[in-house]
Structure formats: structure tokens, C-alpha cells
């Protein structure tokens, strides 16, 4: 169970793990968010109670207590040398998150200062989590977590996407997410709202709003969001860039939805320069950026029959967008954050299967035409 990649993990799942009896001498003190590690009065109250304790939670790889230090001390005070434990097998960073979350839920409450310090540490170890996901685990408001993130920006990586409480990956910038939805609509005008929401990480309501704005010929990003995303310096230049982007996106969506017709032997009326892949400069034979098969792609891009149809342009865009050298792929792998590796691996495998299916379909089509 990986809490780091799945913020939607329920505590009940962790606490439902089977328990076993372990010698207390084998256990290490908790990496606790508390400033005062032990309240002796609370320990005596627990030891004097007639009830058995719930099993404590222990990080198996380090044998460090995750939750239950007061119960452990009370067990020792009762003269016992063994205690019932449940195991957690995740990372140490995940174990700390669980410790905070469990201490917020029960036992002696964490002070506000302790919860704020815990949030800063979780922001550093899980920067890809949303403010709300961290707030839910620390007992703070998402606004407080957001302020802590901004104040600690030097130590905390600022990512353009975060994982929400439900485990979904969403863009931090709503404007960026809306433009992504517009691009997906241009490429797949028949896609359902749910499919677009899944691919973009945006909500159904946002996807519906983008589609309606495009149908009215409007920018997919409302003006207030464009103003918020525009830097104070060079705002005039940014405004001109936004206008250009709006025109290209709106026209591309209209073309993809079949609003424009194709001119024989040329580019479809209303298509913009962005619709037709640019033929890259011919690199020298010794250029390390030279990718295998580039001459073949340039030959395809010169064919008017492909450039004149939306499926042809879609194919060319897909081919050019993944035309990288082995060295470029290696740099991508080296730069990818470790916590995204499983997701990217899954996406890459799916893309590979889709390209293989296309190759098989083309082979079958050629055989039937022969």
C-alpha cells in the first residue's frame, strides 16, 4: 500500500492489517510530530485502565513505532515485555504521514504549531500532493497549507501538477488545464466529457465549460484567469501571445469538429499554421539531436494529401511529437521524478500498444488492398 502515490488511501485499510505479538525490546521510538514526545500523566492513566490496548502501528523496515508510543509506555508500566503490533511496509516518509494523520484523529491532540511543522515536512517529502490532500492529513485548512507552501518555496519543489485527495493528477494552473482540454477537443471532437476529464485531470464541470466556450468562439480560459496567470512584467507581450493562442485554439477546434471543409490539394480552409506540422531543419549527419527516421517524416510532412485532411495532420503531429534520439529519451528518464515513474511507465506501455495496433492495422489494410 503506497500512501505517497495514492492520497485516497484510507486509514481503515491500514488498521485492518493482521496483528502479531512482538518483543518491545525490538522496537524503536516513533518519529513523532509532537514537540513533547511523552505525556507521563497520560501514560499512567492508560496503565491504570482495565482495558486492553489496540495494537500499535510499526514501520516494519525500520521497526520504528508509527503510532502508539503512549500505549507502548503504558504496556511497559504494566510490567509486560511484549505488545501487539500491526505492520506498515511503506517508505519512511509515508510512515511519517500516517503518524501525523493518526495523531490528528485520536489520542492526545496535536497542537496547531505541531500540525504546521508536520505540514511543512510533508510538503517537502510529498510536493506533488495538493494543498487539500495535505490539509486533510494534518488537520489544517487548505489555505494554511498553501501559505506554508509559498513561504517554503526555496525548500519545496514547485510542480505544475499535483495529486488530489481522490488520487487524481490535476494541473496546478486552471488556465493550463483548460488549454489542455481545448487541445484534446481539437484532436478528439467526439470524445465524451468523462474521457476528456480523465485525460486532462480537470473536473467534468470545467470540461463542459471549455466545450461551451469554444462552441461560442470564446477563449477556453476566462478573462479573470488569464489576468491572474499573466505576469506583471511584459503584460502587453503576454496579452498578444494569449490572443494568438486563443485564435489558434478556437480555429483548431472548429476545424477538428468538421466545421471547415478540405480544399483539394491544399490545407483545409480555416486551418492555422499550428494544424500543419513544421518541417524541421535538416540536421547535419553528426548532429546528436538527429533522430532515426527523420528523413521519412520530412517526406511525409511534404505530402499535400496528408496535410489537407485532419486525420493526416493528426498522424503527422503524433509522429513528430515522439521523434526523439536515444540520448533525449535517456535525459527524459533521468529527469523524471521517481514518484511519477509507475504512471509514465504505464502510459508509455499503452502508447506502445496503440502504435503496435496501428502498425498491424496498416499491414492488414495493405494485404487486403493487394
Amino acid at each position: 500500500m503506497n500512501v505517497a502515490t495514492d492520497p485516497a488511501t484510507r486509514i481503515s485499510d491500514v488498521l485492518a492489517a493482521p496483528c502479531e505479538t512482538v518483543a518491545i525490546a525490538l522496537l524503536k521510538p516513533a518519529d513523532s510530530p509532537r514537540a513533547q514526545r511523552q505525556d507521563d500523566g497520560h501514560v499512567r492513566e492508560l496503565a491504570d485502565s482495565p482495558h486492553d490496548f489496540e495494537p500499535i502501528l510499526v514501520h516494519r523496515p525500520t521497526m520504528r513505532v508509527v503510532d502508539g508510543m503512549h500505549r507502548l509506555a503504558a504496556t511497559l508500566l504494566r510490567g509486560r515485555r511484549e505488545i501487539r503490533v500491526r505492520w506498515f511496509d511503506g517508505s519512511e516518509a509515508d510512515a511519517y504521514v500516517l503518524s501525523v494523520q493518526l495523531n490528528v484523529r485520536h489520542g492526545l491532540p496535536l497542537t496547531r504549531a505541531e500540525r504546521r511543522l508536520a505540514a511543512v515536512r510533508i510538503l517537502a517529502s510529498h510536493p506533488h500532493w495538493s494543498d487539500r490532500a495535505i490539509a486533510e492529513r494534518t488537520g489544517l485548512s487548505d489555505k494554511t497549507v498553501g501559505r506554508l507552501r509559498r513561504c517554503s518555496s526555496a525548500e519545496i519543489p514547485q510542480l505544475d501538477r499535483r495529486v488530489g485527495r481522490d488520487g487524481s493528477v490535476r494541473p496546478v494552473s486552471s488556465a493550463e488545464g483548460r488549454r489542455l482540454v481545448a487541445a484534446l477537443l481539437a484532436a478528439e471532437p467526439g470524445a465524451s466529457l468523462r474521457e476528456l476529464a480523465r485525460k486532462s485531470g480537470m473536473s467534468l464541470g470545467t470540461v463542459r465549460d471549455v466545450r461551451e466556450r469554444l462552441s461560442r468562439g470564446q477563449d477556453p480560459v476566462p478573462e479573470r484567469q488569464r489576468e491572474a496567470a499573466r505576469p506583471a512584467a511584459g503584460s502587453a507581450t503576454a496579452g498578444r501571445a494569449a490572443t494568438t493562442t486563443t485564435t489558434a485554439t478556437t480555429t483548431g477546434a472548429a476545424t477538428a469538429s468538421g466545421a471547415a471543409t478540405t480544399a483539394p490539394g491544399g490545407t483545409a480552409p480555416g486551418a492555422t499554421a499550428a494544424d500543419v506540422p513544421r518541417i524541421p531543419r535538416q540536421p547535419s549527419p553528426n548532429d546528436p539531436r538527429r533522430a532515426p527516421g527523420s528523413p521519412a517524416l520530412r517526406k511525409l510532412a511534404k505530402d499535400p494529401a496528408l496535410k489537407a485532411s485532419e486525420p493526416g495532420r493528426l498522424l503527422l503531429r503524433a509522429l513528430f511529437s515522439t521523434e526523439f534520439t536515444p540520448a533525449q529519451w535517456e535525459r527524459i528518464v533521468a529527469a523524471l521524478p521517481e514518484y511519477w515513474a509507475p504512471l509514465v511507465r504505464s502510459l508509455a506501455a499503452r502508447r506502445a500498444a496503440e502504435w503496435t495496433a496501428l502498425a498491424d492495422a496498416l499491414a492488414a489494410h495493405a494485404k487486403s488492398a493487394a
Side-chain angles (χ1 to χ4, degrees):
M1 183 177 302
N2 193 338
V3 183
T5 56
D6 182 15
T9 298
R10 297 176 300 174
I11 287 184
S12 58
D13 295 335
V14 176
L15 300 183
C19 61
E20 59 183 83
T21 301
V22 174
I24 294 177
L26 298 176
L27 303 179
K28 297 179 182 178
D31 182 11
S32 174
R34 299 183 185 279
Q36 181 181 351
R37 293 304 173 97
Q38 184 171 302
D39 185 319
D40 292 337
H42 185 58
V43 171
R44 285 192 295 271
E45 287 180 6
L46 289 174
D48 292 340
S49 71
H51 307 294
D52 290 333
F53 303 140
E54 284 292 315
I56 65 174
L57 187 63
V58 176
H59 184 230
R60 196 198 306 260
T62 62
M63 296 298 286
R64 190 176 295 280
V65 176
V66 175
D67 180 61
M69 281 300 298
H70 285 97
R71 279 170 280 163
L72 177 63
T75 300
L76 284 172
L77 196 57
R78 287 177 172 180
R80 299 175 185 172
R81 295 293 175 264
E82 293 182 330
I83 191 170
R84 292 189 304 154
V85 307
R86 286 193 173 95
W87 300 111
F88 176 68
D89 293 307
S91 68
E92 290 186 69
D94 292 347
Y96 180 79
V97 173
L98 272 178
S99 176
V100 173
Q101 193 170 2
L102 289 166
N103 276 281
V104 166
R105 282 170 54 107
H106 65 75
L108 289 177
L110 297 176
T111 66
R112 179 172 174 79
E114 290 169 341
R115 285 180 280 131
R116 287 170 64 91
L117 287 173
V120 170
R121 178 167 168 179
I122 296 173
L123 279 165
S125 63
H126 299 73
H128 54 291
W129 276 10
S130 70
D131 294 343
R132 289 184 179 180
I134 295 176
E136 186 177 37
R137 281 150 182 77
T138 56
L140 299 169
S141 70
D142 58 315
K143 292 182 179 179
T144 298
V145 175
R147 285 195 295 270
L148 292 173
R149 189 191 295 271
R150 290 189 294 274
C151 292
S152 308
S153 58
E155 296 82 18
I156 299 172
Q158 302 299 307
L159 308 178
D160 60 356
R161 289 175 179 269
R162 295 179 192 155
V163 183
R165 291 178 298 174
D166 58 355
S168 299
V169 181
R170 294 184 174 88
V172 174
S173 168
S174 178
E176 175 196 343
R178 283 174 169 271
R179 292 192 180 98
L180 175 58
V181 173
L184 291 171
L185 276 167
E188 304 176 63
S192 68
L193 293 178
R194 290 189 180 278
E195 180 69 9
L196 292 169
R198 183 184 66 79
K199 290 184 176 181
S200 65
M202 303 300 287
S203 67
L204 284 172
T206 299
V207 172
R208 183 182 294 106
D209 182 66
V210 170
R211 187 173 66 177
E212 291 174 353
R213 294 180 68 85
L214 289 175
S215 67
R216 296 193 298 266
Q218 297 176 333
D219 193 303
V221 183
E223 184 177 358
R224 65 180 183 279
Q225 292 185 17
R226 296 200 303 274
E227 290 294 335
R230 185 178 300 156
S235 59
T237 302
R240 288 193 296 272
T243 302
T244 303
T245 303
T246 300
T247 304
T249 304
T250 305
T251 308
T255 303
S257 63
T261 57
T262 303
T267 303
T272 66
D275 291 321
V276 182
R278 179 178 61 83
I279 300 176
R281 173 183 59 83
Q282 172 71 46
S284 67
N286 298 324
D287 192 334
R289 294 173 297 177
R290 182 186 179 96
S294 291
L297 279 183
R298 286 193 295 275
K299 187 174 181 180
L300 281 174
K302 292 178 181 178
D303 185 359
L306 286 176
K307 293 193 292 183
S309 69
E310 176 59 25
R313 293 194 296 274
L314 191 61
L315 172 64
L316 291 173
R317 286 198 296 270
L319 289 169
F320 273 111
S321 66
T322 55
E323 186 72 1
F324 299 137
T325 65
Q328 288 171 323
W329 285 119
E330 289 174 4
R331 287 200 296 274
I332 290 172
V333 170
L336 184 70
E338 183 179 353
Y339 50 79
W340 287 127
L343 176 62
V344 174
R345 183 170 63 245
S346 174
L347 291 172
R350 189 169 68 185
R351 291 291 181 269
E354 290 170 353
W355 281 109
T356 301
L358 174 62
D360 293 343
L362 290 173
H365 180 70
K367 185 181 295 185
S368 63

